[in-house]
Amino acid sequence: MAKIPSIPSSVVAASGLVGGYGVARWTRKRQLGGVVLAAAGATAAQQWRQQAGSKAAGALTVTYIAAFAGSHPLAKKVGAWPAVFGVAGAVALASWAVADRNA
């Protein structure tokens, strides 16, 4: 049986931010978006811990949460989707630099 390649933590984290917003917007149920955001965040945090250790995982988790929170005021300046894509890109870059680059 072939090994299924794992999805990089940078992709998981960015997908959680974009997917969480998309689900919340399209279903008009913020709670469903929150489930997507939390599930992806927990998955990414587990990967970060395995790839880069607990301290790095903690810092990246704080970055993920801060990006989610920061996307709200940013959306008032640049629009919702640009804000979400911007913070998702920033989290993906941080995740790649800290955890995925050497994995």
Side-chain angles (χ1 to χ4, degrees), residues 73-100:
L74 182 60
K76 292 178 181 178
K77 295 180 188 274
V78 300
W81 280 113
V84 170
F85 285 129
V87 300
V91 168
L93 182 60
S95 178
W96 176 82
V98 173
D100 293 340

Side-chain angles (χ1 to χ4, degrees), residues 36-77:
V36 171
L37 179 78
T43 300
Q46 182 179 17
Q47 289 178 286
W48 294 328
R49 193 171 19 266
Q50 291 170 349
Q51 294 170 341
S54 295
K55 280 187 176 182
L60 288 168
T61 299
V62 168
T63 302
Y64 184 80
I65 294 166
F68 167 69
S71 69
H72 292 82
L74 182 60
K76 292 178 181 178
K77 295 180 188 274

Side-chain angles (χ1 to χ4, degrees), residues 2 4 7 12-13 28 89:
I4 298 172
I7 299 170
V12 172
R28 297 180 189 215

Side-chain angles (χ1 to χ4, degrees), residues 2-5 21-22 25 27 31 34 40 46 53 55 63 72 94 101:
K3 181 183 176 196
I4 298 172
Y21 175 69
R25 181 173 177 137
T27 64
Q31 298 86 349
Q46 182 179 17
K55 280 187 176 182
T63 302
H72 292 82
R101 182 174 46 171

